[in-house]
């Protein structure tokens, strides 16, 4: 047990060094059967989310797609197979849409989020958008999609500029708040030195 605790601390430190400090506030778990495809989901600003995902039982193909127009990753995707054997975790930052496909008979999938779920901010890109070039590794005749996921727009029809502007406003607000806090700390420190 002590070795496990040490490993978790090292992994946490390494994660922060590579990604930054993330405060996860919500844990989710889902169980799905072979052929289930979900996505490509995101939350609109100011409720954007980062996710840390893993598969604890069997196997899924997990995918992130860049949706910030003007970004070098816009319209590009990364696909990673997550299994109970490989113990991989996949970090999906804000500004990316997320989806997965179940490759095994069943799968249990867990993910941590750094913002709570807000149904009014729900957004999506069509998981069937061929322009993204994603090989979901599920034959079309075996694909199982929710009604909601069949209604998402193609990437070309998604208003990414509005998403960018809202995301920028949220980021600017956070930075301004941080700047304000730093200014207040400096003023406070200067008063102490007088």
């Amino acid at each position: 047990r002590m070795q496990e605790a040490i490993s978790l601390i090292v992994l946490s430190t390494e994660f922060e060094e590579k990604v930054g400090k993330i405060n996860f506030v919500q844990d989710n778990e889902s169980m799905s059967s072979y052929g289930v495809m979900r996505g490509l989901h995101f939350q609109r600003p100011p409720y954007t989310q980062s996710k840390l995902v893993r598969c604890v039982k069997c196997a899924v193909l997990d995918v992130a797609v860049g949706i910030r127009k003007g970004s070098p990753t816009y319209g590009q995707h990364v696909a990673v197979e997550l299994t109970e054997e490989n113990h991989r975790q996949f970090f999906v930052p804000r500004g990316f849409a997320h989806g997965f496909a179940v490759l095994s008979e069943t799968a249990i999938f867990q993910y941590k989020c750094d913002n709570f779920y807000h149904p009014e901010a729900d957004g999506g890109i069509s998981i069937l958008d061929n322009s993204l070039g994603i090989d979901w590794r599920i034959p079309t005749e075996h694909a199982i999609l929710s009604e909601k996921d069949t209604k998402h727009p193609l990437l070309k029809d998604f208003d990414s500029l509005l998403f960018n502007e809202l995301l920028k406003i949220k980021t600017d607000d956070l930075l301004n708040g941080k700047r304000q806090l730093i200014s207040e700390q400096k003023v406070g420190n200067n008063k102490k030195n007088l």
Side-chain angles (χ1 to χ4, degrees):
R1 287 206 170 271
M2 182 57 106
Q3 183 60 39
E4 287 176 17
I6 291 170
S7 295
L8 288 173
I9 292 167
V10 170
L11 289 175
S12 174
T13 304
E14 185 179 345
F15 181 83
E16 281 185 26
E17 286 172 1
K18 292 185 181 200
V19 175
K21 180 91 172 134
I22 304 287
N23 181 30
F24 293 111
V25 296
Q26 181 174 319
D27 290 300
N28 302 292
E29 182 175 285
S30 68
M31 185 171 94
S32 300
S33 57
Y34 173 76
V36 168
M37 296 169 61
R38 296 299 321 273
L40 297 157
H41 302 149
F42 59 89
Q43 283 193 168
R44 291 181 177 82
Y47 303 111
T48 54
Q49 291 179 318
S50 296
K51 296 177 182 176
L52 182 62
V53 297
R54 69 188 189 125
C55 183
V56 295
K57 183 80 175 146
C58 297
V60 299
L61 182 71
D62 204 72
V63 175
V65 176
I67 58 171
R68 295 164 300 148
K69 201 160 204 157
S71 164
T73 59
Y74 179 74
Q76 295 181 25
H77 75 275
V78 175
V80 178
E81 186 172 338
L82 304 175
T83 71
E84 66 182 300
E85 288 85 22
N86 70 21
H87 303 285
R88 288 182 178 163
Q89 295 185 73
F90 185 48
F91 180 70
V92 181
R94 294 176 182 212
F96 286 77
H98 171 251
F100 69 92
V102 178
L103 303 178
S104 50
E105 187 177 333
T106 60
I108 298 176
F109 185 75
Q110 294 178 337
Y111 55 104
K112 296 177 147 322
C113 300
D114 69 348
N115 206 342
F116 293 105
Y117 176 63
H118 290 271
E120 72 279 12
D122 238 358
I125 302 295
S126 175
I127 201 164
L128 302 175
D129 188 340
N130 289 329
S131 75
L132 300 174
I134 302 169
D135 176 6
W136 288 100
R137 298 171 42 192
I138 301 288
T140 306
E141 65 272 13
H142 296 293
I144 303 167
L145 278 73
S146 70
E147 184 179 345
K148 171 184 156 184
D149 286 345
T150 63
K151 296 179 179 179
H152 296 312
L154 300 175
L155 183 65
K156 71 180 181 70
D157 299 324
F158 166 61
D159 190 354
S160 184
L161 293 176
L162 175 63
F163 181 85
N164 286 2
E165 191 56 35
L166 291 170
L167 187 59
K168 181 182 179 311
I169 289 167
K170 179 67 174 166
T171 303
D172 287 348
D173 288 347
L174 290 172
L175 289 174
N176 288 334
K178 191 173 184 181
R179 285 186 199 111
Q180 180 66 33
L181 180 61
I182 291 167
S183 292
E184 289 170 7
Q185 287 173 343
K186 284 181 182 175
V187 170
N189 288 339
N190 288 339
K191 285 180 182 175
K192 288 176 191 172
N193 294 332
L194 294 176

